[in-house]
């Protein structure tokens, strides 16, 4: 292989890293002469001055790729060893075998390879006497490349020998540098995948590029949201060195016309290129999202190895860019109210979490406001007017509670506000009632219900604070007149009714009131049943059913979820055994696993012994864990999930898309399956933005090589859309409701037609 092949021919235009054709013939091929880099060095070791002279004479006119070489000489093996230990960049040594002693030459070779540890230098042995040729074995063992009788060395032959040795040395050292570089790329990519924001990501890009190329970090990364628009509108998202003050500015304000021009050119021509001082890389993103370019000051031309490394690194940067923009899009969707463009309940929860993480005094309050206006106006004016009104209400709330207060919409016309306690007093709520001078057309609020929690009086988790707030709001409403219900420490202690129910569940677990229903999962491509999810069912002795939505959260709250979960797993195993007996041994069953179960160290042992008892393979029992639990390291689930995965259990992330995943984190999760949450499936065909979430999850699954299953599929439009987008599997009422095991077996046996066929 000619290591320079890709320097003289433009590299193939792969979409990730393409060099512009016209710039594609860097002078690296003739490189070092043009750039004044070091000459290739050849060392001749011989104790015969006459031979040294003739060698020098023969090599005087020698050129390697149009380039002179530097010839060094040593008169003894000892002298040569000293020289070689100090100078690591000598490419070739021409070595006389017999010098101080008969084997001085071979001993020198041994110490070059083994003591000095130079594996790259090429060694050519020369001897004056025929018959002292070393054994072939020792030639190979010491990586000696050639063996010649001095008398056979014509000038042409010498040139040929030196040329092939130099070429071999170039290849080997390029490979070694590439290997070291690749190691660095692996490290750099690890660093890139851990960044969650574009800003952090691009800062790292410049830093890692500089590290890879041994440069002082100086560069700019810019990203353009809308490819095709004016490239100067691209935003500088990361910069190091001279340009670091430009972060967040538009490319247009960069005052260095050359750099500005280069970045602009990269974005509009969608190409990477280089000049003698700098390297501009172009990242196409995933084609329809943002794309970007980065400028790095190199101050010299890069050699082939460096270009090769850049090509590899650029594709890493590109997938990083796709991931980061996916994450931030997911982030935006997960934390923003789609209708009003203000923070949503998730965002409030996140902010609340960080406040509650601090010890009191926090001097913060949480306010819940229920305006009761939206539903009324929707009724009287229609949805569109109602939504318009909602936007105005949000505007007024933000005016009444300016930053640092955070205003979020929870649902309908219920809002939550988190802010300094003094800015969230009762008098501020009163102010909401008066007419808004800025918007005289918005009627004053008819009736406001509010609840207020002083966060210095509160020490539960954020989720519970939100639940308490809603509860207090309901109380406000029930009481009718009173406008604000103030939280008093301890008022959220369990209701009597809850207590009774939990005692009942306790009893139910001892009896046989808890069962499972199985909901089949279908392959969208061919309509086959590929598995089933086991869902808990509670049937009271009188035949009445209590829905899981009522008893599961309660069981999670009072710890009964552990024995309940164990029961469900056992029932799942029994169902697997019966399925096998009925002739369906390869149909896995999925069970839902709660945080509390995962937090127990004994989970793996319990599962394993159950499976052993029923002689089942762990691969048959899929464990569904909701996204928010999987992502929550407070439960130390990461480790347990890893152990379960290693034990052979398939892991599915349930309700995917509703949690807080960052892609970087997701990638580290030991999961096999993403389960698209029902809410995203429901919105297929109605809300285009939401549709993107289902689509994004499918894309994510593809990128991470995970199975994607959609849940809650209720109509053929949804199923067809999902199939078209490449979603693998689906479950939902369209195909089948959760049903008793017997019904599932009958369905399998009858090979029931599915709506897709
Ligand atoms: P999930 O894990 O998301 O389960 C899917 C739920 O969606 C089930 O409700 C199922 O009956 C329902 N479903 C299935 N297809 C459709 C559809 O096409 N449309 C609609 N609207 N719904 C559909 P279910 O059985 O009421 O369970 C509710 C939740 O209770 C489950 O949500 C899960 O979080 C929890 N749960 C159920 N069984 C267990 C269990 O054994 N252990 C634990 N930890 N949680 C469980
Ligand atoms: Ca589930
Ligand atoms: Ca689910």
């Amino acid at each position: 292989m000619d290591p320079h092949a890709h320097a003289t021919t433009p590299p193939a235009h792969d979409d990730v890293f393409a060099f512009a054709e016209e710039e594609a013939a860097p002078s690296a091929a003739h490189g070092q002469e043009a750039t004044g880099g070091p000459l290739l060095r050849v060392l001749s070791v011989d104790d015969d001055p006459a031979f040294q002279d003739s060698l020098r004479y023969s090599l005087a006119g020698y050129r390697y790729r149009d380039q002179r070489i530097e010839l060094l000489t040593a008169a003894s093996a000892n002298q040569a060893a000293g020289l070689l230990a100090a100078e690591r960049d000598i490419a070739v040594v021409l070595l006389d075998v017999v010098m101080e002693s008969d084997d001085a030459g071979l001993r020198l070779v041994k110490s070059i390879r083994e003591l000095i540890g130079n594996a790259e230098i090429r060694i050519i042995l020369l001897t004056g006497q025929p018959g002292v040729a070393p054994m072939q074995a020792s030639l190979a063992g010491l990586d000696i490349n050639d063996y010649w009788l001095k008398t056979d060395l014509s000038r042409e032959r010498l040139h040929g020998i030196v040329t092939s040795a130099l070429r071999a040395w170039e290849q080997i050292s390029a490979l070694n540098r590439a290997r070291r570089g690749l190691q660095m790329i692996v490290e750099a990519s690890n660093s890139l995948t851990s960044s969650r924001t574009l800003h952090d990501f691009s800062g790292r890009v410049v830093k890692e590029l500089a590290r890879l190329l041994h440069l002082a970090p100086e560069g700019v990364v810019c990203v353009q949201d809308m490819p095709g628009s004016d490239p100067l509108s691209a935003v500088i998202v990361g910069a190091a060195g001279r340009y670091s003050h430009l972060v967040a500015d538009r490319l247009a304000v960069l005052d260095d016309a050359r750099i500005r021009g280069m970045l602009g050119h990269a974005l509009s021509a969608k190409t990477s290129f280089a000049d003698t001082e700098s390297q501009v890389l172009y990242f196409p993103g995933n084609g329809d999202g943002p794309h970007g370019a980065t400028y790095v000051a190199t101050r010299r031309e890069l050699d082939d190895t460096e270009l090769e490394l850049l090509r590899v690194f650029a594709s890493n940067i590109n997938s990083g860019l796709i991931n980061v923009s996916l994450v931030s899009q997911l982030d935006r969707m997960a934390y923003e109210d789609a209708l009003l463009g203000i923070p949503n309940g998730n965002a409030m929860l996140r902010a609340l979490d960080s406040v509650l993480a601090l010890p009191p005094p926090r001097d913060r309050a949480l306010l819940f406001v229920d305006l009761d206006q939206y539903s009324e106006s929707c009724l009287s004016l229609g949805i569109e007017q109602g939504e318009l009104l909602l936007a105005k209400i949000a505007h007024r709330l933000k005016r009444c509670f300016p930053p640092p207060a955070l205003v979020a919409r929870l649902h309908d016309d219920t809002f939550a506000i988190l802010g300094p306690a003094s800015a969230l007093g009762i008098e501020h709520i009163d102010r909401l009632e008066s007419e808004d001078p800025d918007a005289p057309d918005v009627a004053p609020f008819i009736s406001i219900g509010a609840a207020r929690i002083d966060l210095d009086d509160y020490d539960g988790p954020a989720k519970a604070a939100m639940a308490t707030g809603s509860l207090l709001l309901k109380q406000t409403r029930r009481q009718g007149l009173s406008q604000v219900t103030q939280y008093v420490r301890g008022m959220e202690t369990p209701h009597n009714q809850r207590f009774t129910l939990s005692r009942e569940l306790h009893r139910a677990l001892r009896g046989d009131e808890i069962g499972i229903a199985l909901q089949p999962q279908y392959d969208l491509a061919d309509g086959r049943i590929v598995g089933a999810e086991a869902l808990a069912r509670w049937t009271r002795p009188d035949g009445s059913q209590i829905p899981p939505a009522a008893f599961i959260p309660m069981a999670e709250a009072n710890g009964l979820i552990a024995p309940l979960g164990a029961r469900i797993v056992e029932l799942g195993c029994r169902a697997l055994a019966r399925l096998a007996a009925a002739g369906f041994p390869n149909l896995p069953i999925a069970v839902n696993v709660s945080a509390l179960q995962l937090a127990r160290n004994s989970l793996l042992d319990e599962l394993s012994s159950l499976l052993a008892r029923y002689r089942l393979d762990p691969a048959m029992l899929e464990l569904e864990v909701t996204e928010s639990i999987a992502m929550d390291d407070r439960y130390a689930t990461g480790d347990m999930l890893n152990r379960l995965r290693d034990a052979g259990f398939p892991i599915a992330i349930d309700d995917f898309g509703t949690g807080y995943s960052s892609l970087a984190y997701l990638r580290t999760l030991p999961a096999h399956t993403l389960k698209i949450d029902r809410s995203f499936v429901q919105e297929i065909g109605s809300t285009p933005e939401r549709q993107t979430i289902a689509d994004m999850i499918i894309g994510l699954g593809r990128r991470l090589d995970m199975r994607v299953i959609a849940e809650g599929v209720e109509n053929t439009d949804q199923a067809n859309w999902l199939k078209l987008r490449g979603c693998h599997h689906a479950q939902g009422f369209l195909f089948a409701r959760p049903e008793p095991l017997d019904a599932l077996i009958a369905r399998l046996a009858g090979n029931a037609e599915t709506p897709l066929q």
Side-chain angles (χ1 to χ4, degrees):
M1 180 201 84
D2 180 345
H4 288 276
H6 51 223
T8 42
T9 17
H13 262 254
D14 75 293
D15 51 356
V16 168
F17 189 81
F19 284 91
E21 302 268 353
E22 64 272 23
E23 262 103 358
S27 42
H30 319 285
Q32 284 142 335
E33 194 115 281
T35 53
L39 294 175
L40 289 170
R41 305 165 90 193
V42 174
L43 170 66
S44 159
V45 188
D46 204 305
D47 56 356
D48 174 0
F51 180 76
Q52 292 277 34
D53 283 345
S54 75
L55 196 71
R56 187 189 312 281
Y57 178 74
S58 303
L59 288 174
Y62 172 75
R63 294 284 180 281
Y64 177 71
R65 298 186 195 280
D66 293 340
Q67 189 187 350
R68 283 186 304 111
I69 57 164
E70 184 183 358
L71 183 66
L72 311 173
T73 54
S76 69
N78 279 341
Q79 195 191 343
L83 194 67
L84 286 165
E87 313 275 338
R88 305 290 303 215
D89 64 343
I90 295 172
V92 177
V93 53
L94 298 162
L95 176 60
D96 191 12
V97 180
V98 182
M99 288 178 292
E100 298 99 306
S101 60
D102 277 357
D103 61 349
L106 281 176
R107 296 238 307 268
L108 176 63
V109 175
K110 240 178 143 57
S111 63
I112 292 175
R113 294 292 187 228
E114 287 162 14
L115 284 176
I116 302 175
N118 186 337
E120 292 172 8
I121 195 169
R122 297 297 89 201
I123 298 173
I124 299 161
L125 285 187
L126 304 175
T127 178
Q129 302 126 288
V132 292
M135 300 296 293
Q136 199 60 40
S138 67
L139 286 183
L142 292 166
D143 191 14
I144 291 169
N145 312 96
D146 244 336
Y147 178 80
W148 288 94
L149 269 178
K150 286 180 182 174
T151 46
D152 286 347
L153 282 184
S154 67
R155 185 189 165 95
E156 283 67 37
R157 184 165 283 165
L158 179 66
H159 286 196
I161 294 168
V162 171
T163 296
S164 64
L166 284 173
R167 187 180 291 148
W169 179 80
E170 275 189 338
Q171 286 177 359
I172 291 173
S173 44
L175 272 174
N176 281 337
R177 277 167 52 221
R179 208 174 48 221
R180 285 192 295 273
L182 282 173
Q183 184 57 40
M184 287 172 74
I185 287 180
V186 169
E187 288 164 13
S189 308
N190 287 344
S191 148
L192 288 183
T193 40
S194 67
S195 54
R196 291 172 172 217
T197 64
L198 203 53
H199 175 65
D200 180 39
F201 171 78
S202 34
R204 288 175 199 238
V205 166
V206 175
K207 217 181 92 213
E208 296 295 348
L209 270 175
R211 207 162 73 93
L212 191 67
L213 303 174
H214 303 289
L215 305 167
E218 181 165 301
V220 175
V221 182
C222 61
V223 167
Q224 197 182 16
D225 273 339
M226 301 255 294
S229 51
D230 177 11
L232 292 183
S233 71
V235 175
I236 296 174
V237 289
R242 266 197 291 157
Y243 313 106
S244 41
H245 63 285
L246 291 177
V247 171
D249 270 332
R250 300 264 165 203
L251 184 53
V253 306
L254 200 154
D255 55 6
D256 187 318
R258 192 181 67 92
I259 302 176
R260 192 177 61 227
M262 287 174 91
L263 283 168
H265 177 68
L267 289 173
S268 49
K270 301 185 188 302
T271 182
S272 298
F273 56 93
D275 68 9
T276 50
E277 300 178 28
S278 44
Q279 188 73 44
V280 177
L281 301 179
Y282 171 72
F283 314 112
N286 64 359
D288 45 69
H291 68 167
T294 173
Y295 164 91
V296 193
T298 56
R299 309 250 178 275
R300 59 178 166 82
E301 279 186 58
L302 303 180
D303 66 26
D304 288 352
T305 312
E306 289 172 318
L307 289 174
E308 193 57 53
L309 288 175
L310 267 189
R311 221 163 269 142
V312 177
F313 190 50
S315 69
N316 271 295
I317 294 177
N318 195 56
S319 51
L321 177 68
I322 295 172
N323 290 345
V324 167
S325 62
L326 258 183
V327 169
S328 53
Q329 276 179 63
L330 267 177
D331 224 44
R332 214 180 308 140
M333 292 186 182
Y335 293 111
E336 206 175 87
D337 181 81
L339 178 64
L340 300 180
I342 67 172
N344 63 9
N346 271 345
M348 178 54 76
L349 208 57
R350 181 165 64 169
L352 194 56
D353 250 334
S354 55
V355 169
L356 290 174
L358 301 169
R362 301 169 178 128
D363 191 31
R364 287 284 182 282
L366 181 61
L367 204 61
F368 291 80
V369 191
D370 173 9
L371 296 162
D372 229 21
Q373 192 127 11
Y374 172 61
S375 27
E376 286 189 21
S377 14
C378 279
L379 276 179
S380 55
L381 306 170
I383 299 260
E384 247 168 64
Q385 283 302 311
E387 290 183 345
L388 215 64
L389 193 68
L390 212 50
K392 289 182 176 169
I393 290 171
H395 182 72
R396 194 196 293 190
L397 281 171
K398 284 201 287 191
R399 250 177 34 102
C400 275
F401 303 102
L406 173 76
V407 178
R409 180 187 183 212
L410 302 185
H411 52 83
D412 300 332
D413 47 11
T414 305
F415 294 82
I417 302 127
L418 174 69
S422 60
L424 269 61
I426 312 244
E427 66 280 13
H428 296 93
I429 301 169
D430 288 343
R431 241 205 287 157
L432 272 178
E433 290 215 295
S434 46
E435 207 148 338
D436 185 347
D438 282 0
D441 55 326
V442 181
F445 295 118
I446 316 164
S447 89
I448 299 180
R452 186 175 185 278
I453 302 180
D454 191 321
L455 293 177
D456 279 337
D457 289 341
Y458 184 84
D459 27 47
K463 265 205 171 116
M466 299 286 281
T468 303
S470 310
L471 215 75
L472 294 181
L473 259 186
K474 274 195 201 122
Q475 277 181 27
T476 312
R477 281 298 175 207
R478 252 199 320 262
Q479 286 156 6
L481 280 175
S482 122
Q483 281 201 345
V484 185
T485 307
Q486 183 88 25
Y487 170 80
V488 184
R489 198 184 278 275
M491 74 193 288
E492 74 276 32
T493 39
H495 296 74
N496 284 339
Q497 184 213 350
R498 257 193 159 191
F499 182 64
T500 342
L501 193 63
S502 83
R503 283 189 45 192
E504 236 192 294
L505 178 60
H506 211 83
R507 198 204 61 227
L509 272 171
R510 271 183 280 133
D512 62 350
E513 295 175 32
I514 302 294
I516 54 171
L518 293 160
Q519 185 174 35
Q521 305 179 328
Y522 287 81
D523 188 322
L524 280 168
D526 58 13
R528 268 181 320 122
I529 295 179
V530 292
E533 177 178 4
L535 292 153
R537 292 293 176 258
W538 179 2
T539 315
R540 281 208 185 98
D542 65 1
S544 66
Q545 292 244 352
I546 300 176
F551 68 87
I552 296 286
M554 185 189 68
E556 279 171 341
N558 63 19
L560 282 178
I561 194 72
L564 176 69
R567 171 70 53 87
I568 302 298
V569 171
E570 163 134 42
L571 292 171
C573 288
R574 261 191 238 168
L576 281 169
R578 277 206 47 209
L579 278 168
F584 307 103
N586 295 320
L587 202 76
I589 285 184
V591 294
N592 294 281
V593 178
S594 288
L596 203 75
Q597 290 171 271
L598 279 175
R600 285 158 42 108
N601 242 329
S602 51
L603 178 66
L604 180 53
D605 289 342
E606 286 165 13
L607 290 178
S608 304
S609 63
L610 254 178
L611 285 165
R613 177 135 55 90
Y614 287 90
R615 297 180 200 289
L616 292 166
D617 182 349
M620 299 303 290
L621 191 71
E622 184 172 52
L623 306 176
E624 288 192 7
V625 180
T626 63
E627 183 188 14
S628 42
I629 292 171
M631 295 294 163
D632 195 333
D633 34 5
R634 272 179 311 177
Y635 298 111
T637 48
D639 186 45
M640 179 52 88
L641 281 181
N642 276 313
R643 286 166 55 203
L644 291 167
R645 191 260 326 258
D646 292 346
F649 293 96
I651 312 278
I653 308 292
D654 207 352
D655 302 345
F656 189 77
T658 61
Y660 312 85
S661 312
S662 94
L663 196 96
Y665 207 89
L666 180 64
R667 182 175 282 163
T668 67
L669 272 182
H672 306 80
T673 297
L674 293 180
K675 213 165 173 183
I676 306 178
D677 187 59
R678 185 161 62 239
S679 59
F680 302 129
V681 173
Q682 257 162 26
E683 263 138 350
I684 288 172
S686 59
T687 328
E689 298 89 359
R690 289 294 182 167
Q691 188 167 320
T692 333
I693 292 198
D695 201 31
M696 252 160 47
I697 296 173
I698 296 169
L700 218 59
R702 194 175 303 131
R703 184 159 315 114
L704 299 179
D705 204 16
M706 291 165 86
R707 175 175 84 118
V708 179
I709 178 166
E711 67 178 3
V713 178
E714 292 181 350
N715 59 53
T716 41
D717 285 349
Q718 293 165 345
N720 289 333
W721 186 90
L722 287 161
K723 183 178 169 182
L724 200 74
R725 306 304 300 168
C727 179
H728 310 114
H729 298 160
Q731 86 189 69
F733 294 167
L734 169 66
F735 304 98
R737 296 197 170 240
E739 60 195 7
L741 176 59
D742 290 333
L744 177 66
I745 291 178
R747 184 185 294 279
L748 286 161
N751 210 0
E753 296 261 307
T754 75
L756 273 190
Q757 285 180 317

